[in-house]
Amino acid sequence: MVKFSKELEAQLIPEWKEAFVNYCLLKKQIKKIKISRKPKPASHYPIAHHSDFGRSILDPVRKLARTLSDKLFSNSEKPEILQVRRRRNSSETGDDVEEIYQTELVQLFSEEDEVKVFFARLDEELNKVNQFHKAKETEFLGRGEILKKQLEILAELKQILSDRKKRNLSGSHRSFSSSARNSDFSAGSPGELSETQSEASRTDEIIDALERNGVSFINSATRSKTKGGKPKMSLRVDIPDAVAGAEGGGARSIATATSVLWEELVNNPRSGGGDFINRKKIQCAEKMIRSAFVELYRGLGLLKTYSSLNMIAFTKIMKKFDKVSGQQASSTYLKVVKRSQFISSDKVVRLMDEVESVFTKHFANNDRKKAMKFLKPHQTKDSHMVTFFVGLFTGCFISLFSIYIILAHLSGIFTSGAQVSYMETVYPVFSVFALLSLHMFMYGCNLFMWKNTRINYTFIFEFAPNTALRYRDAFLMGTTFMTSVVAAMVIHLILRAAGFSASQVDTIPGILLLIFICVLICPFDTFYRPTRFCFIRILRNIVCSPFYKVLMVDFFMADQLTSQIPLLRHLESTGCYFMAQSFKTHEYNTCKNGRIYRELAYLISFSPYFWRAMQCIRRWWDESNSDHLINMGKYVSAMVAAGVRITYARESTTLWLTMVLASSVVATIYQLYWDFVKDWGLLNPKSKNPWLRDNLVLRNKNFYYLSIALNLVLRVAWIETIMRFRVSPVQSHLLDFLLASLEVIRRGHWNFYRVENEHLNNVGQFRAVKTVPLPFRDMDSDG
């Protein structure tokens, strides 16, 4: 049977862990009570035993009589052994009242210090749970009020759009004829004046409709106009006082003049009678509000789980106290717990029911089953078939790799100088797939560790719970991928040994690459389509970094690309190899000595760092945090160091050697500082864990010290470019592949601590529900 402490640890919300009742602490205190109640050891002096105090044959009769008397008088009132008093304290602002519970013990327990400590801590935990629940409840109720107001505005706009569409269909011919007659008039012609009047009347219509829905306007009486004569104003929606208080005081408002919807709604109406309330932008606003409702419902569900788990914890701990003390104190205390705010309040349940009904009506066409698919997405369970295939493909990979090593040794590929073309042309293609498979394997290890350490990576990366990749799936993808690659390598060597023409055999890597691209972009719902399309979307966001809002998953993936520069270089040589048809001529120097190919090496080496730097600029622009500019400097220094090392590989002079040392040392120190201090949150000299941080997910602190040392060693792998540990071209390629693999391993190792630090930041702020941006923003947030 699983202990409740472990069950609670497995079910609690990780980000709210500190707000849960500290079950383990209370359990330890009960153990102290048990120890204090143990009888003291007998004195070493002998005690005289008298025969008069022996057992009597009437003892069973006396025991039966006591039992019967207890049953007969069980209904009589017994004095309560403790009293829990509730007092109310006003908050600092005076607007809120906090309920504080304090237990008073009767004379039975008054002399026991351990019992006093236990109930004092129990009261602290109860007060903590109540206060947290009330704060979150108030927050979610405020969100609900704001969302209802936003939904009302959205419904009004959709109605306006529908009504105008009907009128435009009836009067489209008349409007077109009027426009044609007035097309040759000057700026002050009656046709243009009537058009301006029509736009003004449409604007007044929207103003009247929104004012009926609680919208007020800033300077509406003296509203200005743009250069084109179009009205320009700001809108605001007044929030009820209850919501204003919930959100933090004052009469607050929602500014609806945003880039999402309102620029075209009021400031830039289309001329010519078209739909100047853009349907696409309304759909975008509807999607944002729908996502906000889903997150609100999720947060309410978490708060409901929070209440039930804490109630169970209080029940369990009081039963343990009854067992140790031999008294029935639980019934009295649990009555108080059940009357406390986090159990007695039904606002969360009522709001959940309201969200379900509203969502079903407005976003699911009154189809409750469809609505619940959004509100409660089904989480797929781990399949044993996935585990089976992971083991199967792992065994196939080991067997095929062993066969490949034997065939490569027999054919002399890694030893014969005549086989240099194989290493220059075919081997880079296979290296691409090998590095991808290794990276996927490391990501699977990350998912496994995050799951076992209760790190909520799906929330951090904002993955959909029902489609998020699990560690078994990642291992399956990696083993399937690598087994296919090794199988292609074995077939390639067998066909070469069988005497097939090299121009035919060397197309196998190209075919494998083509199959991989087809699987990646396959539109059918097979082989993890949500994950594949998410990957493509993230790559698009990275390449177009300044033009997309940067999320956690975007810059996390961009950091992965900075560790895959050798893979990108291999893709460059592979593309040139097939585009120049070198597989037919076997002139691999055609690409290697080309000027464009050599110049592209700089561009490819710079691109991941450049994209990452652009992300930093965009985040600085959005968040006004100067740390992002400092972080950008790290990637600029890495870009310079990469370019200098490429130049040194071609011009091995003392000047370039000095520049390699200087640029690489600066970039490495910069990267190590950011790794340890910013990304991992370590090296805090004031931490209770020496030179780490106060909160650690892993219990053994030595893992963190070893990780710091490992990251330090792998970060200075660039020293190999100076030392030149190379004997032959074959060994040179193998060493490059080894170093690239070590960088992928370092990145996978870095990933765990980076996400761990992000998770602990969420825990510190009790952030378990993401905030969805709304189309009608708060004026105070706009400055």
Side-chain angles (χ1 to χ4, degrees):
M1 185 177 180
V2 180
K3 290 184 177 180
F4 176 73
S5 57
K6 293 184 178 180
E7 186 179 346
L8 178 65
E9 184 72 20
Q11 294 184 16
L12 58 77
I13 296 100
E15 291 80 7
W16 295 352
K17 182 177 179 180
E18 296 299 323
F20 276 81
V21 57
N22 196 334
Y23 182 82
C24 293
L25 178 65
L26 296 175
K27 189 176 177 182
K28 289 179 180 178
Q29 190 61 35
I30 288 179
K31 288 183 179 179
K32 291 182 180 180
I33 296 174
K34 185 177 181 180
I35 294 172
S36 66
R37 285 186 163 229
K38 283 184 178 181
K40 296 181 180 180
S43 175
H44 60 278
Y45 294 105
I47 299 177
H49 295 281
H50 301 281
S51 60
D52 295 341
F53 294 96
R55 292 187 177 182
S56 172
I57 58 174
L58 297 178
D59 285 348
V61 178
R62 295 191 188 102
K63 184 176 181 181
L64 180 61
R66 282 196 300 267
T67 304
L68 291 174
S69 63
D70 290 342
K71 289 184 177 180
L72 287 174
F73 298 100
S74 60
N75 295 328
S76 60
E77 293 185 359
K78 294 182 180 180
E80 294 185 351
I81 61 177
L82 58 88
Q83 293 180 352
V84 184
R85 300 189 182 277
R86 182 177 63 179
R87 55 186 177 87
R88 297 188 175 187
N89 291 343
S90 300
S91 61
E92 295 180 357
T93 59
D95 299 331
D96 198 4
V97 177
E98 295 180 352
E99 291 185 346
I100 305 298
Y101 292 90
Q102 187 173 4
T103 303
E104 294 181 1
L105 303 176
V106 297
Q107 190 173 0
L108 179 65
F109 291 128
S110 60
E111 302 299 327
E112 297 188 42
D113 293 336
E114 296 296 341
V115 175
K116 290 181 180 179
V117 173
F118 169 76
F119 277 102
R121 290 180 176 175
L122 190 65
D123 293 338
E124 289 178 3
E125 296 299 318
L126 178 59
N127 294 327
K128 178 184 71 174
V129 170
N130 272 322
Q131 292 168 11
F132 180 82
H133 184 275
K134 186 174 183 180
K136 284 297 176 183
E137 184 183 69
T138 305
E139 175 188 342
F140 290 141
L141 289 174
R143 284 194 188 189
E145 291 296 328
I146 291 175
L147 285 179
K148 284 192 288 185
K149 176 60 67 175
Q150 300 237 339
L151 193 59
E152 291 172 2
I153 298 171
L154 183 65
E156 189 74 31
L157 292 175
K158 291 171 72 174
Q159 184 63 40
I160 292 172
L161 182 63
S162 177
D163 294 344
R164 179 167 298 115
K165 186 177 181 180
K166 293 177 182 178
R167 289 198 301 269
N168 287 343
L169 289 175
S170 62
S172 58
H173 179 71
R174 184 176 65 255
S175 299
F176 176 77
S177 301
S178 176
S179 176
R181 287 195 305 269
N182 297 323
S183 60
D184 296 332
F185 287 177
S186 61
S189 63
E192 290 193 0
L193 291 175
S194 63
E195 181 180 348
T196 304
Q197 292 173 356
S198 177
E199 290 178 2
S201 64
R202 286 197 302 271
T203 302
D204 292 336
E205 175 190 348
I206 294 177
I207 292 172
D208 294 337
L210 293 180
E211 282 179 342
R212 290 196 304 271
N213 205 9
V215 180
S216 59
F217 295 87
I218 303 172
N219 299 326
S220 58
T222 58
R223 57 178 181 264
S224 60
K225 296 185 177 181
T226 61
K227 293 181 180 179
K230 300 172 184 176
K232 183 178 182 180
M233 68 191 72
S234 297
L235 309 180
R236 80 180 187 184
V237 183
D238 293 332
I239 303 300
D241 293 337
V243 181
E247 290 297 309
R252 308 196 55 187
S253 57
I254 297 177
T256 58
T258 68
S259 60
V260 178
L261 179 63
W262 297 101
E263 287 181 359
E264 294 212 8
L265 174 63
V266 175
N267 297 337
N268 296 305
R270 294 183 179 181
S271 61
D275 290 336
F276 92 100
I277 301 179
N278 191 296
R279 178 178 293 274
K280 184 176 180 181
K281 292 192 178 287
I282 287 183
Q283 290 175 348
C284 179
E286 183 177 10
K287 184 178 179 181
M288 296 168 72
I289 296 175
R290 184 186 67 187
S291 299
F293 268 108
V294 171
E295 283 301 312
L296 173 61
Y297 189 84
R298 178 176 173 270
L300 292 171
L302 293 178
L303 194 57
K304 187 178 178 181
T305 302
Y306 174 82
S307 299
S308 60
L309 287 177
N310 279 300
M311 185 65 216
I312 296 172
F314 278 115
T315 304
K316 293 281 186 181
I317 205 68
M318 285 308 300
K319 286 184 178 180
K320 286 183 177 294
F321 176 80
D322 287 351
K323 186 177 180 181
V324 171
S325 63
Q327 301 294 330
Q328 298 297 322
S330 60
S331 58
T332 304
Y333 200 89
L334 290 179
K335 286 180 183 178
V336 177
V337 174
K338 290 178 181 179
R339 291 196 300 266
S340 64
Q341 198 272 342
F342 83 98
I343 293 297
S344 62
S345 177
D346 62 343
K347 294 179 181 178
V348 171
V349 177
R350 286 192 283 112
L351 183 57
M352 288 184 72
D353 294 337
E354 187 177 356
V355 170
E356 288 179 9
S357 61
V358 169
F359 196 93
T360 302
K361 178 182 178 181
H362 292 276
F363 301 105
N365 295 326
N366 292 319
D367 187 349
R368 178 174 172 80
K369 187 175 181 181
K370 179 181 178 182
M372 297 313 294
K373 286 183 179 180
F374 283 96
L375 296 175
K376 289 184 178 179
H378 177 69
Q379 296 186 5
T380 56
K381 296 182 179 180
D382 293 334
S383 173
H384 294 291
M385 291 299 295
V386 175
T387 306
F388 168 76
F389 280 110
V390 169
L392 176 64
F393 285 122
T394 301
C396 292
F397 164 71
I398 294 173
S399 302
L400 289 171
F401 188 73
S402 302
I403 295 172
Y404 174 77
I405 293 296
I406 295 172
L407 292 176
H409 178 72
L410 294 177
S411 59
I413 285 179
F414 299 131
T415 56
S416 175
Q419 300 293 346
V420 173
S421 61
Y422 179 85
M423 301 300 297
E424 295 288 346
T425 56
V426 180
Y427 202 71
V429 186
F430 290 129
S431 297
V432 169
F433 296 108
L435 292 174
L436 278 176
S437 301
L438 179 61
H439 212 138
M440 182 60 67
F441 174 77
M442 294 302 300
Y443 183 63
C445 294
N446 291 148
L447 295 178
F448 176 78
M449 288 297 299
W450 292 332
K451 180 179 182 296
N452 284 357
T453 53
R454 299 274 294 157
I455 292 176
N456 196 355
Y457 65 92
T458 55
F459 172 72
I460 292 173
F461 293 132
E462 299 184 18
F463 290 154
N466 56 334
T467 59
L469 202 66
R470 304 173 187 273
Y471 74 90
R472 287 188 177 92
D473 300 321
F475 285 143
L476 178 61
M477 293 174 65
T479 52
T480 303
F481 199 43
M482 200 60 224
T483 301
S484 303
V485 172
V486 178
M489 295 169 69
V490 170
I491 294 173
H492 183 270
L493 286 182
I494 291 175
L495 294 179
R496 283 173 64 98
F500 284 84
S501 63
S503 60
Q504 295 177 345
V505 175
D506 288 350
T507 58
I508 292 178
I511 295 173
L512 186 65
L513 183 61
L514 184 62
I515 292 174
F516 168 74
I517 295 174
C518 291
V519 171
L520 181 63
I521 64 176
C522 177
F524 302 109
D525 191 5
T526 182
F527 203 70
Y528 304 103
R529 184 180 69 173
T531 300
R532 291 187 284 109
F533 282 18
C534 179
F535 176 73
I536 295 172
R537 184 174 64 252
I538 293 171
L539 288 181
R540 178 206 63 187
N541 295 348
I542 292 173
V543 174
C544 306
S545 294
F547 309 109
Y548 287 93
K549 182 176 177 62
V550 182
L551 304 177
M552 171 74 183
V553 68
D554 295 327
F555 65 77
F556 184 82
M557 179 61 72
D559 279 326
Q560 311 305 304
L561 292 180
T562 60
S563 295
Q564 286 286 17
I565 292 177
L567 181 146
L568 299 177
R569 293 289 306 276
H570 287 323
L571 281 178
E572 177 197 11
S573 61
T574 300
C576 182
Y577 173 69
F578 286 104
M579 292 176 64
Q581 297 186 348
S582 298
F583 62 93
K584 293 182 179 179
T585 62
H586 291 279
E587 293 292 336
Y588 58 86
N589 288 325
T590 302
C591 292
K592 192 173 183 179
N593 297 328
R595 184 182 63 84
I596 298 178
Y597 177 85
R598 293 165 64 90
E599 297 301 327
L600 278 176
Y602 289 98
L603 178 62
I604 291 174
S605 299
F606 290 166
S607 294
Y609 298 118
F610 174 78
W611 294 330
R612 192 65 185 87
M614 291 298 102
Q615 287 181 335
C616 293
I617 292 177
R618 176 58 192 261
R619 294 188 71 192
W620 167 76
W621 179 265
D622 291 339
E623 303 173 17
S624 300
N625 188 346
S626 59
D627 283 349
H628 297 309
L629 293 180
I630 302 174
N631 193 19
M632 182 196 69
K634 179 186 70 174
Y635 295 103
V636 171
S637 66
M639 196 185 309
V640 172
V644 171
R645 284 200 290 268
I646 293 175
T647 307
Y648 174 70
R650 298 172 182 175
E651 301 178 21
S652 302
T653 62
T654 305
L655 175 62
W656 283 111
L657 175 61
T658 305
M659 294 182 66
V660 164
L661 286 172
S663 61
S664 297
V665 167
V666 171
T668 302
I669 294 175
Y670 210 151
Q671 291 166 347
L672 288 173
Y673 167 78
W674 207 267
D675 284 347
F676 299 145
V677 178
K678 298 294 185 178
D679 292 335
W680 292 4
L682 304 178
L683 299 185
N684 182 4
K686 298 181 180 179
S687 171
K688 62 182 181 182
N689 302 307
W691 293 100
L692 298 178
R693 56 174 122 80
D694 290 339
N695 298 320
L696 302 175
V697 171
L698 301 178
R699 295 181 180 179
N700 193 340
K701 293 185 288 186
N702 293 327
F703 285 121
Y704 293 91
Y705 296 117
L706 291 175
S707 298
I708 290 174
L710 179 62
N711 191 71
L712 173 63
V713 172
L714 294 180
R715 273 291 191 187
V716 297
W718 54 267
I719 295 177
E720 184 274 335
T721 59
I722 300 174
M723 304 301 294
R724 304 290 182 112
F725 301 125
R726 308 186 180 194
V727 180
S728 66
V730 173
Q731 293 176 346
S732 175
H733 283 287
L734 292 177
L735 185 57
D736 287 342
F737 178 76
L738 175 63
L739 293 175
S741 301
L742 290 176
E743 172 58 22
V744 172
I745 293 172
R746 187 201 68 81
R747 179 58 64 181
H749 168 260
W750 176 90
N751 289 343
F752 173 80
Y753 296 101
R754 177 64 183 89
V755 177
E756 178 206 19
N757 190 38
E758 188 71 19
H759 170 75
L760 292 176
N761 290 336
N762 290 339
V763 170
Q765 300 177 17
F766 300 103
R767 187 167 54 223
V769 181
K770 66 180 179 181
T771 303
V772 179
L774 298 173
F776 319 119
R777 291 184 299 185
D778 193 333
M779 288 186 63
D780 293 345
S781 65
D782 296 338

